[in-house]
Amino acid sequence: MIETMLMVSLVLFSITISIAIIRIILGPSMPDRVLALDMIGVNLIATIAVVSIILKTKAFLEVILILGILSFIGTIAFSKAIERGVIVERKRDG
């Protein structure tokens, strides 16, 4: 029963990732695309966690942490680029 629920959750996560990819391609604005990219990151983390439970291993926990950190940094960078047009600000003398 639990294996069936985990497989159904994998299918649903893959459907939401597919919908987010469509949103990235067809999104009317850049904030929509950034939000869809963040949604893909969160769903990918959840998918990896479910796969880790199905395989009964802890080997994917580091992957989940790294993916979470990279997803967060990517969202912040895209948001800054949308807001200011520049990701890294440099102070110029003179």
Side-chain angles (χ1 to χ4, degrees):
M1 180 69 184
I2 292 179
E3 290 82 16
T4 305
M5 289 172 36
L6 291 173
M7 290 302 201
V8 168
S9 68
L10 282 178
V11 170
L12 292 176
F13 283 136
S14 64
I15 289 171
T16 57
I17 289 173
S18 302
I19 290 171
I21 290 173
I22 292 171
R23 175 53 57 194
I24 288 175
I25 294 170
L26 301 177
S29 66
M30 191 58 111
D32 290 332
R33 291 185 172 108
V34 171
L35 189 63
L37 197 63
D38 190 43
M39 186 172 124
I40 287 174
V42 170
N43 284 316
L44 212 59
I45 289 170
T47 302
I48 293 171
V50 170
V51 168
S52 178
I53 293 171
I54 290 173
L55 297 177
K56 296 180 177 128
T57 182
K58 295 181 182 178
F60 297 117
L61 296 180
E62 291 87 8
V63 174
I64 291 171
L65 286 172
I66 291 171
L67 187 61
I69 291 169
L70 289 176
S71 177
F72 175 73
I73 290 172
T75 302
I76 296 298
F78 278 127
S79 299
K80 240 181 137 177
I82 289 172
E83 182 182 345
R84 297 186 184 145
V86 182
I87 296 174
V88 178
E89 295 178 9
R90 297 177 187 212
K91 295 182 181 180
R92 297 182 185 210
D93 295 332

